[in-house]
Amino acid sequence: MTSPLIEAQDLRVDLDGRNVLHGVSLAVAPGEIITIVGPNGSGKSSLLRALVGAIPPARGKVVRTPGLRIGYVPQKLSIDPTLPLTVNRFLSLPHRIPPARAAEALEQAGATGLGARQMTQLSGGQFQRVLLARALLGTPQVLMLDEATQGLDQPGAAAFYHRIEEIRRTLGCAIVMVSHDLHVVMAASDRVVCVNGHVCCEGTPEIVASAPEYQALFGTGTKGTLALYRHEHSHHHHHDHPHDHAHDHVPAAAEKTH
Amino acid sequence: MLDDFLVRAALAGLGVAVAAAPLGVFVVWRRMSYFGEATAHAAVLGVALALGFSLPMMPAILIVALVMARLVSQLAGRGHAMDTLLGVAAHSSLAAGLVAVALLPEVRLDPMGYLFGDILAVTRGDLAVIWGGAALVLALVCWRWQALLTATLSPDLAYASGLDPRREDLILTLSLAIVVAVAIKVVGVLLIGAMLVIPAAAARPLVRTPEAMALGAGLVGAVAALGGLGGAFVLDTPTGPTIVCAAALIFAVTLTLSRLRRG
């Protein structure tokens, strides 16, 4: 077994003196897709930020492989309108990159041709893809996404996650995402970690979806969609075609909305 | 050439423009204009300390400004209401400084010189301090430019890139204290904040990158310093306020231009 890229050991996180997470142990192996789910205020974003290194642990520790390259897509990034910033200039932070490299990353993230635009003039979806492009620049070993599909409609979110799977295939990086789009995300995950102040349950999407802890938090509302998803999944039954899964999934997701 | 007080005044004004520009853009982007005010106002306390204990003026101002800037940013980091806190700090430090100066028995000091600056009385020694300080601020900000920008966008992004945004905050705090010490003689404590914010704001509508905005702010500051100096000479008005008025005029012009261009 390969050693983990990042490992949280008995992690406790406090924010403004308030405990938000305790007793969390989690290891991220190379190449795996982990989704962290949990209700609002469950500490799932804090867990991601602690893994990134943005919050110091109150207890326990976070061990990162030395020299680990992290690509981080934050939950939100508000750019003050007084800050003039083109997409290309944004991609050159904190390390300057040649224009060709920027164009390549934009293409990879599905934001081709946006390089000369001002960051503040991008739509929500374009902004997310530019954030993703920036995260991809350092050829990350692990990509961390915090509610990356916020503000996207469900087909948009599905397309985004499809892109993430494609990136995992081409770069071979591990992916850790926080999300509330349970059904769409879980379809794409190797492992789901359900968090509510601590790790309630974890495992494959199927295992977590049927776990009583998970159902206590989210009810059985998503069960129908998941059943549908599992149905689709078993029909295809080859894991190397996440593209089809993502597309198959869109109608299911749309049905769920009413 | 340096014997002429007008030449010295012009050089001093240019020095302040150069020192204020690279910091002023961050003050605007990070919405910390009141932070600059609080630090500048605390400088009067530094003046009082220097006079009261016969300390050299510049180091005293620098240290008090540094302590004030550190204190305010620390308190803000602990979740106090930033706006209120800065209001309290800015005004009470100014008041305390003025009271302290008045209480000094053997000093007959007109505080107006420190409140509004006295650019026409700039000495060669002052010039050395101003340009030395400007060079230091320029060097600091250029050295940390990429990291400062990243931390300004988002501390989390900085952490993820292996940077420590708290260190970048410290660089800004230090630069701010230097600018205050440098600018006090030229525009005075009451208007230092204006020299930070107005040139940067005036450059904003004309530029598309952060670097262009910093350069533009330097240019606007320089034009305002020279124009204000000339204006004060012609109109026989106080120099510091005239420089700030010139900067405000440029701001109004660039703002109008950008509105017209956008239609």
Side-chain angles (χ1 to χ4, degrees), chain A residues 198-211:
Chain A
H198 60 285
V199 175
C200 304
C201 53
E202 65 171 298
T204 62
E206 286 82 1
I207 288 173
V208 169
S210 54

Side-chain angles (χ1 to χ4, degrees), chain B residues 5-87:
Chain B
F5 74 96
L6 267 182
V7 172
R8 288 199 302 270
L11 285 175
L14 288 176
V16 169
V18 168
L23 183 63
V25 287
F26 284 105
V27 168
V28 168
W29 295 333
R30 291 175 165 233
R31 303 193 174 188
M32 45 186 254
S33 66
Y34 224 7
F35 188 63
E37 298 276 289
T39 307
H41 288 185
V44 176
L45 265 178
V47 171
L49 273 180
L51 293 173
F53 297 96
S54 312
L55 301 170
M57 189 66 78
M58 275 300 161
I61 291 174
L62 196 63
I63 287 166
V64 171
L66 202 55
V67 168
M68 184 67 171
R70 253 338 255 169
L71 194 72
V72 171
S73 60
Q74 294 258 311
L75 286 174
R78 280 187 217 150
H80 291 254
M82 188 69 171
D83 189 54
T84 308
L85 190 72
L86 285 174

Side-chain angles (χ1 to χ4, degrees), chain A residues 86-111:
Chain A
T86 61
V87 170
N88 279 338
R89 185 65 190 85
F90 173 70
L91 295 178
S92 267
L93 286 173
H95 306 293
R96 301 233 177 227
I97 49 153
R101 183 79 191 87
E104 190 190 334
L106 284 174
E107 197 185 325
Q108 227 169 359

